[in-house]
Amino acid sequence: SGSFCRTGAAEPLPCPAGTFSSATDLGAAAECTDCTMGSSCGTASTAANACAPGTYTDSTGESVCASCAAGSHQPSSGASGCVACVAGSFCPEGAAEPLPCPAGSYSNATDLGQAAQCTSCTVGHSCGTKSEQPLPCAAGTYTSTTGESECAKCEAGTHQPESGSLVC
């Protein structure tokens, strides 16, 4: 298996990359089976190997699986494509799962490839991990700088009756 023998051959020849064979007694390379979509086959393969999460093949006869492009991911093995990264997350090249935008940032876009593409939270708002939108600080709290993950409580002797405030 994984090879073929031409008439009069002294040694078996390997099935070419992108093909496989679990059968024996093959007489030509054309009798090797093309690797299926979502899998890869190296030289002399006896079976198709499912692409690992974060990789794919979108055609038959592939010898290697391609990594998902930055901004996309693939959680399943044996995939024939990748899916866009979800809002509040980013997906580097080859991602199997989306990674959350860090605390203090947000994103409502669906195709970010790196954490630096997440937007810094605006003043008067907070952004927890994997935020899709900044949340206005509640009455009695504030943020005076960008990139905050939590709103600060007003200090004793001060107050803030409005939401989304920069000061008390």
Side-chain angles (χ1 to χ4, degrees):
S1 53
S3 62
F4 63 95
C5 296
R6 292 188 178 127
T7 304
E11 294 287 324
L13 298 169
C15 284
T19 66
F20 72 98
S21 178
S22 58
T24 58
D25 299 328
L26 301 184
E31 294 178 55
C32 298
T33 304
D34 278 345
C35 224
T36 56
M37 280 196 298
S39 64
S40 65
C41 303
T43 303
S45 291
T46 59
N49 297 310
C51 293
T55 66
Y56 72 100
T57 59
D58 60 1
S59 61
T60 60
E62 296 294 328
S63 60
V64 295
C65 297
S67 292
C68 290
S72 66
H73 72 288
Q74 180 48 256
S76 303
S77 59
S80 60
C82 299
V83 293
C85 205
V86 295
S89 302
F90 67 97
C91 298
E93 181 180 348
E97 296 288 340
L99 300 171
C101 281
S105 66
Y106 72 97
S107 175
N108 55 13
T110 59
D111 58 356
L112 301 186
Q114 54 186 317
Q117 291 175 302
C118 297
T119 304
S120 186
C121 204
T122 55
V123 293
H125 295 78
S126 66
C127 299
T129 303
K130 199 176 179 183
S131 290
E132 294 179 27
Q133 295 290 333
L135 295 173
C137 292
T141 66
Y142 72 100
T143 60
S144 58
T145 59
T146 61
E148 294 296 326
S149 61
E150 294 181 8
C151 298
K153 291 181 180 179
C154 290
E155 296 176 20
T158 66
H159 75 285
Q160 180 48 260
E162 313 247 338
S163 63
S165 297
L166 315 177
V167 295
C168 292

